[in-house]
Amino acid sequence: MGDASPARPTIAGRLIVVVGPSGAGKDTLMSYAAQHLKERPEVVFVRRVITRDGGSGGEDHDAVSDAEFRRMAQSGGFTVWWEAHGLCYGIPIETRHQIDLGHVVVANGSRAALPHFSAAFPAMTVINVTARPEVLATRLELRGRETRDEILQRLQRSSPQLVGPYELLTIDNSGSIEEAGQAMVDALTRYLPAFSCR
């Protein structure tokens, strides 16, 4: 009897949750990474379900009504869901299947919802996108919703410590998009297998 073929290595999937304060540029860096990793089908960017008008700008998402969101949540349609700023956000249940297949799944999350994420996904990494306070203030001021003083006061109040049973990486997005975007790409590709069979 010949020698048995070597066992194929098990590829463990992982959830990457991207968090950070308003103005840090999470969506921009995720879009940069998605563009640069579009030839890597094992990297999956989650399309969130949000109770927000699909034409309101911002991230590309599935827009649903409050009633539809509640129906999806009650029927087990989400692995994680949370409320923030008067809206509901959901991570579709299909995310778990993608991770079971060994994919690196990237989701735009919330710092306040991290306990829910870590309970649902033991293999999880958090990427905390930050920027210097004056940079955040300038970006938020351009939105025209608050004065600069109000923004600076809010930023001082909204810097929670991220501590939990997960790996934590920090990307400073105070400088160029290219520099921080490459840091995001590098952070994601470190979890991909070193080889692929073609």
Side-chain angles (χ1 to χ4, degrees):
M1 181 180 294
D3 294 336
S5 300
R8 204 174 210 186
T10 300
I11 300 175
R14 176 168 288 266
L15 179 72
I16 312 294
V17 184
V18 182
V19 301
S22 296
K26 301 184 298 293
D27 291 335
T28 299
L29 296 190
M30 290 177 68
S31 296
Y32 182 100
Q35 179 64 27
H36 283 72
L37 294 171
K38 62 184 179 182
E39 303 301 326
R40 300 299 300 264
E42 63 270 50
V43 181
V44 179
F45 289 83
V46 173
R47 184 181 173 94
R48 297 195 296 184
V49 177
I50 309 177
T51 55
R52 179 172 61 200
D53 180 14
S56 60
E59 71 175 281
D60 190 17
H61 65 280
D62 289 334
V64 298
S65 66
D66 290 343
E68 177 64 10
F69 190 97
R70 285 195 299 272
R71 186 196 67 75
M72 294 175 70
Q74 292 169 358
S75 64
F78 303 124
T79 52
V80 177
W81 69 272
W82 68 96
E83 297 182 52
H85 311 298
L87 299 172
C88 294
Y89 300 79
I91 303 298
I93 192 67
E94 292 80 14
T95 302
R96 191 179 301 280
H97 176 63
Q98 292 165 334
I99 291 175
D100 289 343
L101 292 175
H103 293 158
V104 174
V105 178
V106 187
N108 190 340
S110 163
R111 292 171 292 180
L114 285 178
H116 302 302
F117 276 98
S118 61
F121 299 99
M124 185 178 92
T125 295
V126 175
I127 296 180
N128 184 33
V129 178
T130 66
R132 295 191 304 273
E134 65 271 20
V135 174
L136 293 175
T138 297
R139 292 173 181 169
L140 293 175
E141 193 174 13
L142 290 174
R143 299 180 182 179
R145 300 172 188 168
E146 302 169 278
T147 67
R148 190 175 182 86
D149 286 342
E150 290 171 338
I151 290 169
L152 288 172
Q153 290 176 8
R154 181 160 66 86
L155 291 175
Q156 290 174 352
R157 295 194 304 265
S158 61
S159 299
Q161 294 295 316
L162 301 182
V163 179
Y166 44 75
E167 182 179 18
L168 176 63
L169 305 175
T170 298
I171 295 177
D172 188 329
N173 189 27
S174 300
S176 70
I177 293 175
E178 291 74 19
E179 182 178 2
Q182 187 57 51
M184 175 71 79
V185 171
D186 292 343
L188 299 181
T189 55
R190 66 183 288 190
Y191 297 105
L192 296 177
F195 64 91
S196 61
C197 298
R198 298 187 183 274

